[in-house]
Amino acid sequence: MSREYRPSRFNLSEWALTHRALSAFFLIVFTLGGALAYATLGLKEEPEVRFKVMVIRLFWPGAAADEIEQQVTDKVERKLQDTPHLDFIQSYSRPGESVIFVALRGETRHLDVDSTWYQVRKKVGDMRSTLPTDVIGPFFNDEFGDTYTNIYAVSADGFSYADVRHYADLLRTELLRIEGVEKVDLLGVQDEKIYLEFSHKKLAALGVDPLQLFSVLQTQNRIAPAGRVVTADTNVDVRVTGSFDSVAAVENTAVRVNGRSLRLGDIATTQRRYADPPVTRMRHQGRDAVGVAVTMRRGNNVTELGKNIDASVHRLRAELPIGIEIATVADQPQVVRRSTGEFLRSLGEALAIVLVVSFLSLGLRTGAVVALTIPVVLAMTFLGMKLAG
């Protein structure tokens, strides 16, 4: 009598029917876990992408392009050639400025990116003393992967630019208090400067050298330690007054020329105004504005964050004076809500079609089995998305 040998194989369906209680337990756990994962799943219009490029900028006012390249750019590049995970270094030099791009290899893990950028900052900081003393910087920028969830434009009718900047700062402070906000940037901000204008003919007639004026201003506004008074009870720091705190203080600066003292405001014109030409500028609906851009913290829900932001902006709008406007330029939460609604509607239609076809083609009993497995599959999908990040 012969017997046919059949290797034993694991049969999931047989195991599930044999261990019905345990199978039901796992189905309930996976379903509840998937539902919880969907409820807490982060939502954002763009995926989280770590940009693996850093830009380093250094400034050397008055230097030619070849001087910048030889004494600044080349030195920094040679120092960074042994950076871990380095793919390539690209740079350009122009009069007064050096720009260096440091790119990492594509397979670099996200966990290694931050440590690599720390090494880049450390290397450049260690060789900073070898650069010319007049070099300004370095300035590092590795935040190219950030995307703004909301952008607002603060503008005014009948108010000065300083007032617009003030209310933009108020909006920024209000938004930073919201849970889930990573940072808030101001866009199109113009810096104020004090301009000193004089006539060369007038200075020549008075026998005043323009460099002498610059030397007086630098000396007067220099901050230096003045010492400390040490007593038995306390220590008091001594500070020297006289630094510039207004345009009038600059105008009243005394200049000693040929044995006589002159007032700076008598030989030059001093004005406070914004940088001309402006480095950055923002206009909205044909008017100058200051932009307020919000970046969401990683892993948060953009729709919930949008509700909190809308509530804060609405509350601040009610407190603003007439003429100050906060206009919405970009609203990513609204886009995500609309996209999520379209996705859920399409998913519901697809499930309905699958269930109808299953009941019509497989019968009521088998179709019911298929209908029970669909929520479990969806729940496991959402659970996997949550665990993946």
Side-chain angles (χ1 to χ4, degrees):
M1 181 177 180
S2 63
R3 298 179 61 184
E4 182 181 359
Y5 174 75
R6 294 182 180 180
S8 59
R9 296 180 180 178
F10 177 74
N11 191 317
L12 181 61
S13 301
E14 181 181 358
W15 184 90
L17 293 175
T18 307
H19 305 80
R20 295 183 179 181
L22 190 59
S23 300
F25 171 76
F26 282 124
L27 290 177
I28 295 175
V29 169
F30 286 140
T31 303
L32 294 179
L36 181 62
Y38 176 77
T40 60
L41 193 65
L43 292 178
K44 195 176 182 182
E45 185 179 12
E46 299 90 3
E48 298 285 351
V49 177
R50 191 60 187 271
F51 205 68
K52 301 173 183 177
V53 175
M54 171 182 279
V55 178
I56 306 173
R57 301 180 67 187
L58 299 100
F59 300 93
W60 190 7
D66 56 345
E67 294 176 329
I68 288 284
E69 182 177 4
Q70 295 172 6
Q71 301 189 43
V72 178
T73 306
D74 289 347
K75 290 183 179 181
V76 176
E77 284 186 344
R78 284 195 297 268
K79 185 66 177 180
L80 296 177
Q81 286 177 352
D82 58 345
T83 302
H85 310 291
L86 179 65
D87 186 9
F88 64 87
I89 298 177
Q90 188 176 4
S91 65
Y92 68 85
S93 302
R94 60 185 182 185
E97 182 182 8
S98 171
V99 181
I100 303 171
F101 300 89
V102 182
L104 304 182
R105 292 192 295 269
E107 64 270 15
T108 305
R109 298 185 307 169
H110 290 182
L111 297 177
D112 296 331
V113 174
D114 290 333
S115 61
T116 304
W117 294 151
Y118 169 76
Q119 291 294 329
V120 171
R121 288 179 168 88
K122 184 176 179 297
K123 289 176 181 293
V124 179
D126 292 342
M127 56 86 58
R128 177 64 178 82
S129 59
T130 64
L131 301 178
T133 57
D134 295 335
V135 171
I136 303 173
F139 302 99
F140 304 93
N141 187 4
D142 61 332
E143 298 181 349
F144 297 98
D146 294 341
T147 55
Y148 296 133
T149 58
N150 296 74
I151 301 178
Y152 298 95
V154 181
S155 58
D157 186 11
F159 290 82
S160 65
Y161 183 84
D163 295 328
V164 176
R165 170 69 185 273
H166 170 71
Y167 289 108
D169 283 328
L170 287 181
L171 177 59
R172 178 179 182 272
T173 304
E174 189 73 18
L175 295 177
L176 284 174
R177 297 193 181 102
I178 300 176
E179 181 67 25
V181 173
E182 179 71 21
K183 62 180 181 179
V184 181
D185 297 326
L186 296 182
L187 309 178
V189 175
Q190 302 180 39
D191 296 327
E192 280 189 304
K193 295 184 178 181
I194 296 179
Y195 288 87
L196 184 65
E197 300 175 352
F198 51 84
S199 171
H200 287 279
K201 294 181 179 180
K202 187 175 183 179
L203 293 183
L206 295 174
V208 180
D209 186 359
L211 297 179
Q212 185 178 2
L213 297 180
F214 303 149
S215 177
V216 170
L217 293 175
Q218 291 176 355
T219 304
Q220 180 71 21
N221 204 41
R222 181 176 299 169
I223 298 177
R228 173 181 296 180
V229 177
V230 180
T231 64
D233 299 328
T234 185
N235 299 331
V236 180
D237 292 329
V238 178
R239 293 183 175 86
V240 179
T241 60
S243 58
F244 300 136
D245 56 1
S246 63
V247 176
V250 178
E251 294 177 344
N252 294 328
T253 303
V255 181
R256 191 73 177 176
V257 179
N258 298 328
R260 57 176 180 170
S261 181
L262 299 176
R263 181 173 169 271
L264 184 60
D266 296 333
I267 59 178
T269 302
T270 307
Q271 293 181 347
R272 179 198 295 269
R273 60 176 185 265
Y274 294 99
D276 186 22
V279 179
T280 58
R281 193 172 184 178
M282 180 176 181
R283 293 179 65 84
H284 182 260
Q285 299 295 335
R287 296 191 300 181
D288 289 333
V290 175
V292 181
V294 183
T295 301
M296 183 182 70
R297 187 175 293 118
R298 181 183 177 90
N300 280 263
N301 190 317
V302 71
T303 57
E304 295 297 329
L305 179 64
K307 295 177 182 178
N308 297 331
I309 292 177
D310 292 340
S312 297
V313 173
H314 180 73
R315 182 170 59 252
L316 184 60
R317 279 175 176 156
E319 300 175 358
L320 294 177
I322 298 176
I324 300 292
E325 297 181 3
I326 301 178
T328 302
V329 178
D331 191 353
Q332 187 184 110
Q334 183 178 0
V335 176
V336 173
R337 281 193 292 267
R338 184 168 57 251
S339 300
T340 304
E342 294 177 355
F343 166 75
L344 293 178
R345 184 173 62 254
S346 300
L347 179 62
E349 294 174 355
L351 291 179
I353 293 173
V354 171
L355 291 177
V356 170
V357 173
S358 299
F359 283 120
L360 293 178
S361 60
L362 301 178
L364 182 62
R365 185 173 181 178
T366 308
V369 175
V370 175
L372 291 175
T373 58
I374 291 178
V376 178
V377 173
L378 290 177
M380 295 182 65
T381 302
F382 292 131
L383 185 60
M385 293 171 60
K386 182 67 176 180
L387 296 176

